[in-house]
Amino acid sequence: MRRFLWIPAILTLLVCSSFIALVSTSSDRQNQVKLAGATGAKAQGVHSISVTPWGPDQTTIDETKSKLLRNPTLQRYLDGRNYRFLSFDFVESAVKQMPPEPPSRYRATFFNYASNRSVVATGSFIEDAVTVSLPPEQPTPSPEEFEAAVKILMKDPELGDAIRDGSLQPYPPMPPLLDIDQPVNKVERTLTVGLLPKDSSRKNEIVGVNMIRETVSRYDGGAPQTSYAVESNCGVTSAGQATTSNGTAGQFEVVISRGTEEIWRFICIRPSASSGNNRSGIELQNVRYRTKLVLARANAPILNVQYYRNACGPFRDWSWQEGMFVANGTDVPDTNGGVRLCTDEPETVLDNGTDSGNYRGVAIYDREEVTLVSELNAGWYRYITKWIFHDDGMISPRFGFGATINSCVCNGHIHHVYWRFDFDVATAANNAVEEFNQGIPKSIDTESMCPRLSPDQFWRVFNTMTGEAVLIKPGPLDGNYDKFGQGDLWMLRNHFPAEIDDSGQPSGSCSTCAHLNPMLTNESIAGQDVVVWYGGHWAHDHFDQHPMHGDGPHVNGPDLILQKY
């Protein structure tokens, strides 16, 4: 039986508030740009936060998976038992829908080790028909596939005993696959596994595990060409706790109120269920402030890193593998553990310097503002995806950067995160863009890449008919683009779903770069449906002894300040 939780009962909870004083209030930031923002009353008391499941529940997903595995069309491509179910994702609608409809279709990815090929089945939650394709790209390993690679490695006559007795500790390294850029029919699928020694009697090493032949490869220098494993290591100790793969039930409607006044309403999607080729952290849809539409969608579909002098990588990372962090509170019923309302401020790896925790999913906590936060794993990297909602009409997207112990991150590198803001300021159409530099406005009428040139520079997306607007105010740690980073802001005409990420864009000589410049086709964006891509570029020098906490040096992101709402 299918169980869709389209309109379940709403759970409303009052979340404890710590009333911690803000370092920089939203009114301060509005004064910096010298433009009046929204006119909400100063917040008093705690918020009322309701969370309602939205879309297919876990029972529906599990039943669909079970039925799919018995599908005769799919089974012809899986060739028996030597395959692995890697991911289960929701398929975007072919058209932009406002308000959005819950997903009705899915995409399941398998790897057939017998034929060394990726198999993708696309179908509907309602119908039994399945379409099968054989894409050339190497799918990202799941946590379960990594564990299978470790089990193969434990059979190795030279390394198996050391893994079993704890002398070598396996960990997910970067890149997750050898020859990750090569088509599946050109190379045999080989996962990488890091081996961290307990003491100096053994060396740090990254090996390759051939999933086809179940053999182990070791490399000169101790690691594959694009990785690094030497005696010196940096980062926090890996806790080795379980993570969440993509494709879990995780879509919810969130309403934030004070008393009887609704302030914010939006669809929140946990990272493991988010959209995009590599997923996109905590994703928001249909964001409304005091009932007026602000954003059709907001997420971060592109995440990559380049090392100075190419000491490692470069890497294109993923944003769906939820890791553990400290979040004390109560899980919202019927959310499959996907949302926890917290009694005190959650602590990620950037707050407490540890990789352990008691929760994975979206944690919500309330002080003067309401914050949604989740921690992500991508190999040895630890990322923080966060959204902060202020009562007086400001949204602060944030991304944070950390890592567990490895040799690569001892080398200087730059993390790049690219948010995609599909602005529907009051309406989807009739939106336009202005750039302000030293207080002087300039209309941006055609698709453009805009560099960040000065501290007082900002952008304004506004409705040409009704006057509502959103200011995009860069954060002080958002950096500037370089050759790898490609750009700072892209102002584009909306083409959904073709440009929901950059997976369909030409890659040229840099497969891991953000391929947003090919989307610039000189189309008009004056009075149109506007999308803004915002790039944050954070330089990470491990030996720079800044503290790792809060919105400090390891966190960046802009402020979106509403006007006339």
Side-chain angles (χ1 to χ4, degrees):
M1 178 184 297
R2 294 182 299 274
R3 299 178 181 88
F4 288 80
L5 296 179
W6 304 130
I7 313 177
I10 294 177
L11 171 70
T12 303
L13 293 176
L14 294 180
V15 185
C16 294
S17 174
S18 59
F19 294 106
I20 298 173
L22 299 179
V23 174
S24 175
T25 68
S26 57
S27 59
D28 291 337
R29 299 187 190 187
Q30 289 172 331
N31 289 336
Q32 290 173 10
V33 298
K34 298 180 181 179
L35 288 169
T39 57
K42 181 172 177 60
Q44 299 292 334
V46 296
H47 292 94
S48 171
I49 302 174
S50 71
V51 179
T52 308
W54 184 85
D57 63 5
Q58 195 62 47
T59 300
T60 299
I61 293 171
D62 292 343
E63 290 177 350
T64 301
K65 289 180 180 179
S66 178
K67 185 185 297 183
L68 176 62
L69 290 173
R70 299 191 300 269
N71 186 282
T73 302
L74 174 62
Q75 283 299 324
R76 286 198 292 270
Y77 290 88
L78 296 183
D79 300 329
R81 297 180 179 273
N82 194 17
Y83 67 86
R84 184 168 297 278
F85 199 153
L86 294 180
S87 65
F88 186 90
D89 309 313
F90 303 111
V91 175
E92 293 287 338
S93 169
V95 295
K96 179 177 175 178
Q97 298 172 315
M98 289 303 295
E101 293 290 331
S104 61
R105 297 182 58 77
Y106 66 84
R107 178 176 53 250
T109 301
F110 302 80
F111 201 89
N112 185 335
Y113 300 120
S115 58
N116 190 33
R117 64 184 180 185
S118 178
V119 180
V120 173
T122 305
S124 165
F125 287 109
I126 300 173
E127 301 173 353
D128 293 335
V130 171
T131 301
V132 177
S133 62
L134 304 174
E137 298 84 11
Q138 290 270 8
T140 302
S142 65
E144 295 78 15
E145 190 179 26
F146 177 79
E147 291 303 318
V150 172
K151 289 181 180 179
I152 293 172
L153 189 55
M154 292 176 69
K155 300 176 184 177
D156 183 82
E158 296 183 42
L159 300 172
D161 288 343
I163 295 173
R164 280 187 290 271
D165 67 20
S167 300
L168 291 173
Q169 178 63 48
Y171 65 90
M174 294 294 289
L177 288 164
L178 196 68
D179 300 318
I180 192 171
D181 295 329
Q182 295 297 313
V184 291
N185 62 342
K186 299 293 184 182
V187 295
E188 294 184 339
R189 186 167 176 84
T190 302
L191 272 63
T192 56
V193 177
L195 297 171
L196 192 68
K198 185 176 181 179
D199 53 47
S200 59
S201 64
R202 288 187 173 274
K203 65 177 183 178
N204 186 16
E205 189 174 4
I206 297 174
V207 302
V209 179
N210 187 308
M211 303 300 290
I212 311 298
R213 303 176 186 274
E214 298 192 355
T215 56
V216 177
S217 297
R218 303 175 76 174
Y219 305 98
D220 293 339
Q225 185 175 2
T226 57
S227 197
Y228 197 53
V230 295
E231 184 175 348
S232 60
N233 291 285
C234 302
V236 304
T237 301
S238 174
Q241 290 186 288
T243 61
T244 305
S245 296
N246 58 4
T248 52
Q251 301 169 319
F252 321 98
E253 184 175 58
V254 177
V255 181
I256 301 170
S257 306
R258 285 200 187 268
T260 60
E261 182 183 20
E262 177 180 306
I263 301 173
W264 294 100
R265 178 186 292 265
F266 52 86
I267 302 299
C268 168
I269 304 176
R270 66 188 292 182
S272 58
S274 59
S275 66
N277 192 51
N278 288 303
R279 312 279 78 83
S280 48
I282 297 176
E283 179 174 348
L284 309 177
Q285 293 186 25
N286 195 26
V287 180
R288 295 176 180 271
Y289 179 70
R290 302 186 188 277
T291 74
K292 286 187 179 182
L293 187 59
V294 180
L295 289 152
R297 185 190 303 253
N299 55 357
I302 304 174
L303 181 63
N304 57 24
V305 57
Q306 185 186 40
Y307 283 78
Y308 302 146
R309 296 176 297 280
N310 289 324
C312 294
F315 303 128
R316 173 67 75 97
D317 295 337
W318 55 94
S319 302
W320 47 259
Q321 191 176 350
E322 299 166 358
M324 301 289 276
F325 61 105
V326 177
N328 299 316
T330 304
D331 290 352
V332 178
D334 299 322
T335 64
N336 193 38
V339 178
R340 176 169 291 183
L341 296 175
C342 295
T343 53
D344 48 35
E345 185 169 352
E347 294 185 354
T348 70
V349 63
L350 300 187
D351 301 301
N352 56 27
T354 69
D355 188 44
S356 59
N358 59 2
Y359 178 70
R360 58 180 190 263
V362 178
I364 302 178
Y365 70 99
D366 179 17
R367 47 183 186 183
E368 189 66 16
E369 66 279 351
V370 175
T371 299
L372 283 65
V373 63
S374 186
E375 185 167 324
L376 307 173
N377 291 14
W380 52 52
Y381 296 115
R382 298 294 182 265
Y383 294 112
I384 310 306
T385 171
K386 180 187 293 188
W387 295 90
I388 307 170
F389 292 87
H390 305 257
D391 281 12
D392 57 357
M394 183 168 74
I395 307 172
S396 300
R398 295 290 182 264
F399 224 85
F401 312 92
T404 54
I405 289 176
N406 69 90
S407 298
C408 274
V409 298
C410 297
N411 300 284
H413 53 282
I414 300 179
H415 289 281
H416 305 269
V417 57
Y418 301 83
W419 285 274
R420 181 181 184 272
F421 302 122
D422 181 356
F423 284 105
D424 284 4
V425 179
T427 60
N430 303 316
N431 282 198
V433 182
E434 291 179 321
E435 178 181 80
F436 287 77
N437 204 339
Q438 297 182 344
I440 301 173
K442 180 184 73 173
S443 295
I444 302 176
D445 295 328
T446 58
E447 293 183 323
S448 306
M449 192 286 286
C450 303
R452 287 189 289 268
L453 300 173
S454 66
D456 62 354
Q457 186 180 16
F458 63 92
W459 289 263
R460 178 173 177 261
V461 183
F462 63 98
N463 191 298
T464 59
M465 304 297 290
T466 63
E468 291 92 347
V470 180
L471 307 183
I472 305 172
K473 174 67 175 176
L477 299 176
D478 293 353
N480 298 100
Y481 79 96
D482 55 16
K483 183 177 180 180
F484 182 84
Q486 300 284 307
D488 290 333
L489 288 88
W490 290 260
M491 310 297 176
L492 299 172
R493 181 98 163 253
N494 186 27
H495 290 287
F496 178 88
E499 295 179 356
I500 196 170
D501 59 23
D502 67 339
S503 59
Q505 304 304 316
S507 61
S509 60
C510 182
S511 62
T512 54
C513 294
H515 308 303
L516 298 174
N517 288 327
M519 298 182 189
L520 298 171
T521 58
N522 206 37
E523 286 187 90
S524 171
I525 58 172
Q528 302 295 331
D529 187 354
V530 174
V531 168
V532 176
W533 284 85
Y534 185 98
H537 318 288
W538 185 73
H540 187 181
D541 181 353
H542 182 80
F543 298 101
D544 183 359
Q545 298 300 313
H546 286 297
M548 295 174 63
H549 59 79
D551 286 347
H554 289 230
V555 179
N556 68 12
D559 288 332
L560 308 180
I561 304 170
L562 278 58
Q563 294 184 306
K564 298 185 179 180
Y565 268 83

